[in-house]
Amino acid sequence: MRGIFHGLTDPTESGCSKNSVSIELLNFQMIDLSSANTAEQRLLERKLNTALLSSMKSEIKNYSDREFIYFIICRPKQKIKNAKKGRINKNKALFTINASGKYIKGSIDLSNYEHKKINVSHSERHLHIQNINVTESISSHNLLATLDIQTGIPSEIHYIGRTDNPARRVIDGNHRGLSDTILHALNHNQDVLLISCLFHMRFHSKNPSLKIETVKSNSLFDFLNMEKESDLIEQCLINYFLPDQQLNSRNNDQKKLNNHLLYLKKNHNIDQTFLHFEPDTISDYYHLGTSNQPPSPSHSFYFDFDQTGNIRLNKGMAPNLMPD
């Protein structure tokens, strides 16, 4: 339950403390939105994606109410070489993927499948594993991402948003950011993927003279309600990455972020808002970037106030969160 300690002492109320907010990645899930070729496949894939995102939503509801932050990204098409019968060697399904002219070999362990008679086949975009009467189809992107196979190709962010239900908001077919990204992908021979994330926000109060730091989770104390928390995270990411699709609304996004930071300064004496994005995977599918922000496996940045009171963006670790 969110806010179960609401009403207890605000850790930032001391005027002699250096107060900060830290935001870190808690959970993430990638979904391939471009792998289906036929109307029947698209319908089935949509049902599977909806079920996956719904389960992620149910899981987080069990211990804390949070909204999802999502990235709509583009990557070059990845095709499985030779759409013929697959190969099995030493209980492993073997495959080769053409990643922008670079041929990458990989394998999937089949030892967890119950039935010994397993058939493996390829289509252009999928590896098919048939076990008894059930066929599991894994897209080329999911193969590369889940097996942490390096392609040397980063992911380009086209849209950043927030929602309490990514299954409904993003993949229901009525999303301008997704529609524009699909159009871009068609014109550039790319595929569209969705990365849905959950973040954890903490309030830090550090007393320099006593060398004591108090850290409290916002989801438990609800110093910022769920809507304000998720909107702050969304605006931090938009104003850092500056996706091309959202440049037209840059002034409005900057204004929203400034209002959040000024609110934190006025009501909680917060001088710094720090965000760290680093998925616990080596897959370069999560090496995110834009034309305005170089791709990287991790991103650390913070917003603070200069001597004149203006808000500024800084890369790296927030000083108030660094050890003495």
Side-chain angles (χ1 to χ4, degrees):
M1 181 182 297
R2 186 182 179 92
I4 58 176
F5 299 119
H6 179 71
L8 296 185
T9 305
D10 186 338
T12 63
E13 66 181 6
S14 174
C16 63
S17 297
K18 291 183 177 180
N19 301 323
S20 305
V21 163
S22 68
I23 302 165
E24 294 186 276
L25 184 65
L26 179 66
N27 198 355
F28 60 94
Q29 177 71 53
M30 190 201 80
I31 289 179
D32 185 354
L33 299 178
S34 300
S35 62
N37 293 322
T38 67
E40 184 179 1
Q41 288 175 343
R42 283 191 291 271
L43 179 60
L44 176 60
E45 188 172 80
R46 180 176 172 182
K47 289 181 178 179
L48 292 173
N49 289 340
T50 299
L52 181 59
L53 291 171
S54 296
S55 67
M56 190 177 179
K57 174 181 169 63
S58 299
E59 181 182 349
I60 195 64
K61 284 287 185 182
N62 289 335
Y63 61 92
S64 180
D65 290 340
R66 287 185 175 90
E67 287 196 332
F68 293 84
I69 305 296
Y70 59 88
F71 301 87
I72 301 176
I73 66 172
C74 280
R75 291 183 64 89
K77 290 182 179 296
Q78 317 291 323
K79 297 181 180 181
I80 299 179
K81 183 184 177 183
N82 298 330
K84 299 178 180 178
K85 185 176 179 180
R87 294 171 56 205
I88 299 178
N89 184 26
K90 295 182 180 180
N91 215 26
K92 290 184 178 181
L94 308 180
F95 60 86
T96 302
I97 293 179
N98 182 352
S100 300
K102 179 182 179 182
Y103 289 96
I104 299 173
K105 295 183 178 181
S107 63
I108 292 182
D109 188 357
L110 301 176
S111 59
N112 292 327
Y113 288 82
E114 295 180 2
H115 201 269
K116 291 185 178 180
K117 189 175 181 180
I118 300 173
N119 293 319
V120 177
S121 61
H122 300 298
S123 60
E124 186 179 65
R125 304 291 299 279
H126 291 83
L127 178 71
H128 307 286
I129 302 175
Q130 185 176 9
N131 183 26
I132 312 179
N133 295 321
V134 178
T135 300
E136 179 183 0
S137 297
I138 310 171
S139 77
S140 55
H141 288 295
N142 284 326
L143 282 171
L144 293 170
T146 56
L147 296 176
D148 287 339
I149 298 173
Q150 299 299 295
T151 67
I153 305 169
S155 296
E156 184 180 7
I157 300 170
H158 283 259
Y159 190 91
I160 300 171
R162 67 180 178 91
T163 178
D164 65 337
N165 188 345
R168 183 183 67 243
R169 173 70 180 101
V170 186
I171 62 174
D172 63 358
N174 187 26
H175 190 292
R176 178 65 181 273
L178 177 58
S179 300
D180 289 346
T181 305
I182 291 174
L183 180 61
H184 171 91
L186 288 172
N187 292 332
H188 293 81
N189 195 33
Q190 293 179 323
D191 286 333
V192 179
L193 298 95
L194 172 73
I195 299 177
S196 186
C197 303
L198 291 164
F199 287 85
H200 189 193
M201 179 184 291
R202 295 181 177 91
F203 279 70
H204 299 252
S205 184
K206 189 173 184 179
N207 190 311
S209 59
L210 299 177
K211 295 186 178 180
I212 296 175
E213 182 177 24
T214 303
V215 182
K216 293 188 177 182
S217 169
N218 183 58
S219 62
L220 295 179
F221 289 83
D222 218 21
F223 302 120
L224 288 180
N225 63 34
M226 184 174 68
E227 184 176 355
K228 287 184 177 180
E229 174 186 276
S230 56
D231 195 47
L232 171 62
I233 298 171
E234 177 193 29
Q235 295 306 323
C236 284
L237 289 165
I238 291 174
N239 281 274
Y240 171 75
F241 282 109
L242 298 175
D244 288 341
Q245 280 193 30
Q246 292 170 288
L247 289 179
N248 290 336
S249 60
R250 183 176 181 181
N251 289 337
N252 187 46
D253 290 327
Q254 198 167 36
K255 184 178 179 181
K256 284 183 180 180
L257 176 62
N258 290 352
N259 288 339
H260 281 303
L261 298 179
L262 290 170
Y263 172 87
L264 290 172
K265 176 71 172 175
K266 179 181 178 181
N267 293 277
H268 298 283
N269 195 30
I270 299 292
D271 293 315
Q272 295 178 344
T273 297
F274 168 73
L275 193 146
H276 180 63
F277 179 88
E278 186 174 10
D280 56 349
T281 171
I282 62 172
S283 171
D284 46 26
Y285 273 71
Y286 300 96
H287 293 190
L288 303 182
T290 63
S291 59
N292 299 297
Q293 195 64 248
S296 174
S298 67
H299 294 271
S300 296
F301 59 94
Y302 65 96
F303 295 92
D304 65 0
F305 297 85
D306 62 20
Q307 294 181 345
T308 62
N310 293 319
I311 296 170
R312 60 186 178 184
L313 167 65
N314 311 270
K315 292 186 178 181
M317 186 74 174
N320 287 359
L321 298 179
M322 294 179 68
D324 293 329

